[in-house]
Amino acid sequence: MAASATPRTGDVVTVAFSGGLDSTALLHAAVRAAAGRQRVVALHVHHDLQPQADEWAAHCEQVAASLGAGFACTRLSGAPQRGDSVEAWARAGRHRALHDMTVAAGADLLLLAHHRRDQAETFLLQALRGAGPAGLAGMPRQQWRDGVCWARPWLDRPREAIQAYAEQQGLRWIEDPSNADPRFARNRLRQTFWPAFPGGETGLAQAARWAREAHELAAEIAQVDLAVLASPERLDLAALSRLSPARASNALRAWLSTHTTPPASLIERLLSEWHAGATASWPAPGGMCHAYRDGLHWSAEVVATPAARPVDLSVPGLHRQPDWQGAWVVEPGAPGIAAERLAQLTQQRRAGGEQFQWAPGSVPRSLKKACQAAGLPPWRRAGPLLFDVDGRLLAVAGLGMDARAFARQDEPQLSVRWLDDSALPQSEGEGGGPA
């Protein structure tokens, strides 16, 4: 058992430590495997949901000290909102706390004591909820999240082997009375399913492994398809419709997953309701899906219409506009606008009646017609727009600079263009840095 818990090379290894049988055995095995070469830190999350929670935290600290491990504890604040799942609230808080404590300990490896029965239960519960391959795949053996590797070295181990190890080593552990509470789905499963199907654990865990392989294969196929069908801003619906139904659904789900968590109902509606040439919109968690000119686009939910405000774009760089979910990119270049003219701007939404000129000598057109000619989708025509101190239009997000604002060739000038958040490099800094 100790060998199976051997951590990867590093100065510090952390172990999620509830004080129960499984995590106590894992902490013991991790300390033995480290053999003084690494520091092992037990991480306890105080959920404050049981009267004995303080006693459990004290017990965990004592056990960690007796094993020669470090100890850290975080007490969750707040409580589930009315109608929220206690399990979901506790799980989300626990994950945040474990991540933060791991980072604070100077580690990037967190060991968790999930075993084969936990995996089998996860598969079954996900199946009862109608989950697809991603849900049925259960818990990964290891997964990097925000700089921390969450590893489950005992995921293929039967619980009986873990209990035998703990008893052999004379370990003491906590019995949580909430584990017998039938209000929780996993407890009901343990009380009813395993007694009726004592041999089901192996088969369900194997099914989870097959589901993970299927999920990983689907992800690889989606990457191949999206390389041809999509950009971060647009998915080619016409080309998508020429794929097989299963492959189209897979690619659509993968593309949407970069923007939201798409429910199965949304995937089904998009595939069944869209037809060539249609302009339509569908609500989704956190935003909207829009079909326009045979492409699918995503727009994040806007909490409130951004108010007009002053903006200084006289310095080259990336000038983020969080309220508008994008940024102005300012670079030296021609044609462009005189830098001094960009120092005092007003950024605001479209009011109506504005005109836009594409090129010098062309006829100014209504902003609506200019947007249509450029193929700018209706939901992106609100702005932002840039006006100088005299109220003259300089630039429009999605269209570019108004030709009437171009500086003379002998003047220092800056080009201005807009990028949506979805197209922005995530490592870029704020305005004033290199664009």
Side-chain angles (χ1 to χ4, degrees):
M1 294 296 289
S4 67
T6 302
R8 66 192 187 89
T9 303
D11 294 332
V12 184
V13 176
T14 59
V15 178
F17 184 40
S18 68
L21 165 64
D22 305 329
S23 63
T24 300
L26 180 62
L27 179 62
H28 182 274
V31 171
R32 289 186 63 182
R37 296 184 299 271
Q38 294 158 310
R39 179 169 177 256
V40 178
V41 180
L43 308 180
H44 182 75
V45 179
H46 187 310
H47 296 85
D48 206 17
L49 294 175
Q50 297 285 345
Q52 310 95 321
D54 289 338
E55 297 175 17
W56 293 344
H59 166 87
C60 289
E61 185 172 11
Q62 292 170 2
V63 170
S66 70
L67 296 177
F71 181 77
C73 178
T74 293
R75 186 169 190 154
L76 298 186
S77 59
Q81 297 295 317
R82 185 172 182 178
D84 288 351
S85 164
V86 175
E87 292 172 288
W89 174 84
R91 181 170 55 251
R94 182 166 61 251
H95 286 179
R96 287 192 301 271
L98 290 173
H99 172 274
D100 293 346
M101 286 190 288
T102 296
V103 173
D108 61 2
L109 177 64
L110 170 65
L111 301 181
L112 302 107
H114 297 116
H115 47 70
R116 189 173 68 187
R117 179 166 294 185
D118 293 324
Q119 184 75 306
E121 290 171 352
T122 299
F123 176 89
L124 192 54
L125 289 170
Q126 291 288 348
L128 292 172
R129 295 169 184 145
L136 296 177
M139 297 174 286
R141 182 175 297 280
Q142 67 177 40
Q143 179 183 37
W144 283 93
R145 291 188 295 183
D146 299 325
V148 172
C149 180
W150 297 59
R152 299 173 174 88
W154 288 352
L155 202 55
D156 292 330
R157 296 271 179 168
R159 189 173 190 274
E160 291 79 7
I162 296 172
Q163 181 161 355
Y165 173 82
E167 292 173 347
Q168 180 186 32
Q169 300 298 325
L171 303 179
R172 298 180 298 111
W173 59 86
I174 294 167
E175 295 290 351
D176 185 348
S178 69
N179 288 337
D181 190 338
R183 292 178 300 170
F184 303 126
R186 194 174 288 266
N187 291 344
R188 293 197 300 274
L189 182 66
R190 290 169 179 170
Q191 294 166 11
T192 59
F193 184 82
W194 297 124
F197 299 94
E201 175 183 317
T202 303
L204 290 171
Q206 178 60 55
R209 286 192 289 272
W210 286 122
R212 177 155 297 280
E213 287 190 16
H215 174 58
E216 291 172 354
L217 177 60
E220 292 180 15
I221 296 298
Q223 287 184 347
V224 171
D225 288 337
L226 293 181
V228 178
L229 300 176
S231 68
E233 299 83 22
R234 182 181 184 274
L235 175 65
D236 189 335
L237 289 173
L240 185 79
S241 68
R242 292 191 287 271
L243 298 178
S244 68
R247 195 161 178 171
S249 174
N250 182 58
L252 176 59
R253 182 178 293 103
W255 186 82
L256 285 174
S257 294
T258 63
H259 302 288
T260 183
T261 302
S265 57
L266 176 61
I267 303 296
E268 294 169 359
R269 287 192 63 190
L270 286 167
L271 292 174
S272 63
E273 296 176 8
W274 177 82
H275 58 84
T279 297
S281 298
W282 296 266
M288 294 286 291
C289 296
H290 306 277
Y292 179 71
R293 295 191 176 183
D294 289 351
L296 185 67
H297 304 260
W298 169 260
S299 64
E301 183 178 8
V302 177
V303 177
T305 302
R309 69 179 186 88
V311 178
D312 181 356
L313 300 182
S314 60
V315 178
L318 184 70
H319 299 262
R320 292 187 182 271
Q321 310 299 322
D323 291 347
W324 288 96
Q325 299 167 2
W328 293 107
V329 180
V330 181
E331 302 169 304
I337 302 170
E340 61 183 20
R341 198 174 176 187
L342 295 172
Q344 298 182 48
L345 303 176
T346 298
Q347 178 176 267
Q348 65 187 55
R349 68 177 289 108
R350 175 182 169 190
E354 298 92 350
Q355 289 194 324
F356 184 84
Q357 184 174 324
W358 277 107
S362 65
V363 177
R365 308 176 67 182
S366 71
L367 187 54
K368 177 181 178 180
K369 289 185 177 179
C371 289
Q372 291 174 337
L376 197 64
W379 62 94
R380 292 184 57 197
R381 297 175 186 173
L385 282 61
L386 294 176
F387 294 87
D388 66 10
V389 292
D390 297 319
R392 291 173 294 190
L393 180 65
L394 300 188
V396 178
L399 293 184
M401 297 175 289
D402 190 301
R404 295 170 295 184
F406 290 160
R408 298 190 309 269
Q409 291 185 354
D410 59 344
E411 286 185 290
Q413 51 195 287
L414 298 171
S415 70
V416 178
R417 59 189 174 92
W418 177 261
L419 280 180
D420 288 327
D421 279 345
S422 59
L424 285 171
Q426 295 305 306
S427 61
E428 292 285 8
E430 298 300 324

